[in-house]
């Protein structure tokens, strides 16, 4: 894939000139475009990434510029979650145009992949573990193409300059964080492939010939990643999708000893990031805008909110049994529809407008009773058929991924969720970065009981995601909040619960993020251990629910606009930080 179309503005300036001009442009923009003097803010999953974003924002960079710098750093310091070997969705708020854009950088199945990708010779599905590690599940990465596309539309700082914080950190080294150390320790499969063994482990001082995970505080450098970044900085997407980096990806995928994949250099060259129409729907006095398919995130979250519209949640306390019950019931109905209807809409007919129609949601909400659980929800049907055409997809996704939110000095915002699936994707590295295993988000079974599954593998298709980057607008049509989370298929529940916290309970961003988590994916209510919700189990059981108490590690990062000021939150369950301009390096 070649850089195409117009080059981003200011691209010919040197860094120094660029900074000076940008500072001027930022001031003029503030005066002329209704920009605010409230500064800029970022929330990401790692302090290094937030600092990189702030460095760019302090140069007068846009929200997209800052998100790019942060992503390139996350790829290095949080490789278990996201990176340039993965995919992402980015929602953008353009303050001067009053527009929401949705960018799709989801991974794509190679041209040679078919519905049998995850079937064994006897036609039964492979085990998840057998599918993940190696080349088979690696989808054509979309992050770089998507960031390039968003930068062409909304970038202010030279593309090359956005790579400098990550290159500096890759060459100078970053200290291994407690979470990275814990994740390496938890995912020992990483030591099976030479590329990841050499990078994530050191020789054991106790046992000759053995290795141990990089300790906390170890200064990890990554010269290969720095070289890759330089190529992409200089050549645009061609530095990734063609030449040495593309060849390294294909070699790693195809030459894996136990589980080779099908990706070719032509697949990489053919990858296209897509600009899609955001899904926006009113909730109370706000407009909530989510990402359309191939993620199920926006659609399912908007459905849950739509189903709850008839219930006065603001009159209930957060975490009260009735509030948890109502949100759970609405979630069950939406997750039931998600299972049968949602997949890559470029390949299957996803009835988006029917699922979001007020009439349909009102009808479905009749099954929600404040005093009694409905049990397991069945998918809804539309006028044309008595039964959904597709069988329910049983795939659940795994727990990794990262979310970042940025609001720049002109009031533009980015809400971006990014993932290598994983943790640590396919547990293999090429050219200094982890390769995703996102194709395991497809249904392993192309059909169930002779019914096709909408989310079956097909050449060039994008696997159904749960990622839910969200932008919320207030009743004047101005930005209210940017929010999202990792968490596999629980992402939808985490994000929706936080939206309810912000809107119905008028919580500040941090308090909404801190709410004890509860999730219902059309089964038991999962509630977060070591929280007040544990004391509510009996009352929830009395309403007819089965309840599972467990650790629920959301990773919500968000920024809210409140009374003209920015208010950020970072999930204490992970390592993220909120920074504002004037802070950081
Ligand atoms: N791969 C998942 C998705 O796209 C996300 C995994 C996660 O959040 O851990 O929905």
């Amino acid at each position: 894939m070649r850089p195409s179309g117009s080059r981003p503005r200011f691209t010919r300036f040197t860094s120094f000139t660029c900074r000076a001009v940008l500072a001027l442009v930022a001031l003029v923009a503030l005066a002329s475009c209704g920009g605010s003097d409230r500064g800029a803010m970022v929330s990401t999953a790692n302090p290094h990434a937030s600092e990189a974003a702030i460095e760019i924002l302090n140069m007068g960079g846009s929200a997209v510029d800052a998100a790019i710098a942060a992503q390139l750093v996350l790829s290095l310091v949080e490789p278990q979650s996201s990176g340039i070997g993965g995919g992402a969705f980015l929602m953008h708020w353009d303050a001067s145009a009053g527009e929401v854009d949705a960018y799709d950088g989801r991974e794509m199945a190679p041209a040679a992949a078919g519905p049998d990708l995850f079937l064994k010779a006897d036609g039964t599905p492979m085990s998840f573990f057998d599918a993940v590690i190696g080349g088979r599940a690696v989808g054509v990465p979309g992050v770089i193409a998507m960031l390039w596309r968003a930068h062409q539309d909304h970038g202010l700082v030279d593309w090359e300059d956005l790579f400098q914080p990550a290159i500096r950190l890759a060459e100078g080294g970053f200290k291994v964080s407690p979470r990275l150390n814990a994740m390496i320790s938890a995912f020992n499969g990483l030591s099976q492939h030479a590329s990841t063994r050499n990078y994530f482990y050191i020789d054991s001082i106790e046992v000759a010939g053995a290795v141990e995970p990089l300790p906390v505080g170890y200064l990890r450098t990554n010269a290969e990643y720095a070289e890759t970044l330089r190529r992409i900085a200089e050549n645009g997407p061609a530095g990734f999708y063609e030449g040495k980096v593309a060849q390294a990806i294909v070699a790693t995928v195809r030459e894996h000893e136990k589980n080779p994949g099908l990706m070719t250099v032509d697949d990489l060259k053919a990858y296209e990031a897509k600009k899609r129409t955001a899904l926006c729907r009113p909730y109370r006095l706000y407009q909530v805008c989510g990402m359309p398919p191939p993620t199920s995130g926006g659609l399912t979250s908007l459905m849950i909110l739509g189903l709850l519209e008839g219930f006065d949640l603001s009159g209930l306390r957060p975490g009260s049994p009735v509030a948890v019950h109502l949100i759970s019931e609405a979630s069950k109905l939406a997750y039931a529809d998600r299972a049968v209807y949602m997949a890559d809409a470029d390949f299957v007919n996803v009835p988006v407008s029917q699922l979001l129609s007020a009439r349909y949601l009102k009808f479905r909400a009749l099954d929600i009773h404040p005093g009694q659980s409905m049990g397991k929800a069945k998918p809804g049907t539309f006028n044309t058929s008595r039964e959904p055409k597709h069988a329910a997809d049983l795939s659940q996704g795994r727990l990794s991924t990262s979310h970042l939110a940025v609001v720049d000095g002109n009031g533009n915002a980015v809400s971006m969720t990014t993932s290598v699936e994983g943790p640590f994707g396919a547990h293999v590295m090429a050219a200094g970065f982890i390769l995703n295993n996102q194709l395991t988000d497809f249904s392993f079974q192309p059909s169930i009981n002779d019914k096709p599954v909408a989310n079956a593998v097909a050449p060039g298709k994008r696997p159904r995601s749960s990622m839910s980057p969200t932008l919320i607008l207030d009743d004047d049509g101005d930005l209210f909040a940017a929010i999202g989370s990792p968490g596999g298929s629980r992402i939808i529940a985490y994000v929706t619960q936080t939206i309810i916290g912000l809107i119905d309970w008028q919580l500040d961003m941090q308090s909404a993020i801190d709410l004890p988590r509860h999730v219902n994916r059309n089964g038991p209510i999962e509630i977060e251990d070591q929280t007040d919700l544990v004391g509510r189990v009996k009352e929830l059981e009395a309403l007819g629910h089965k309840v599972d108490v467990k650790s629920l590690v959301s990773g919500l990062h968000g920024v809210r606009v409140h009374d003209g000021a920015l208010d950020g939150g970072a999930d204490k369950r992970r390592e993220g930080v909120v920074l504002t301009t004037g802070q950081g390096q």
Side-chain angles (χ1 to χ4, degrees), residues 106 398-401 419 421 438 441 464-467 486-488 491:
R106 183 69 165 167
R398 291 175 91 202
L399 302 175
S400 181
T401 307
S419 177
E421 173 70 351
Q438 212 72 251
D441 274 0
R464 182 192 66 188
S465 170
S466 302
M467 294 194 281
I491 290 174

Side-chain angles (χ1 to χ4, degrees), residues 42-101:
V42 60
S43 178
T44 80
N46 185 282
H48 291 295
S50 292
E51 280 167 13
I54 283 294
E55 182 179 330
I56 299 298
L57 290 166
N58 278 333
M59 288 165 62
S62 66
V64 163
D65 293 329
I68 294 171
Q71 171 67 89
L72 300 173
V73 168
L74 285 172
S75 191
L76 180 69
V77 299
E78 202 199 23
Q80 69 272 25
S81 294
S82 80
I84 65 173
F89 297 112
L90 186 155
M91 306 275 301
H92 181 264
W93 166 247
D94 183 328
S96 57
E99 275 171 18
V100 176
D101 284 338

Side-chain angles (χ1 to χ4, degrees), residues 281 293 299-300 302-304 306-307 333-334 336-338 340-342 349-362 364 379-382:
R281 200 178 184 285
L299 200 42
T300 313
L302 290 175
M303 287 181 73
I304 298 171
L307 289 159
L333 291 166
D337 283 352
R338 170 185 179 271
V340 293
Y341 292 118
M342 299 183 202
N349 174 32
V350 180
V352 174
S353 53
Q354 285 102 315
L355 290 168
L356 291 182
S357 81
R359 194 160 162 239
Y360 176 71
L361 292 172
K362 219 168 170 179
R364 290 282 276 164
T381 51
F382 309 108

Side-chain angles (χ1 to χ4, degrees), residues 242-257:
E242 295 176 41
K244 202 173 159 193
V245 175
Q247 284 154 15
I249 296 172
V250 168
T252 305
V253 166
R254 297 184 74 93
E255 289 164 21
H256 192 270
E257 280 169 22

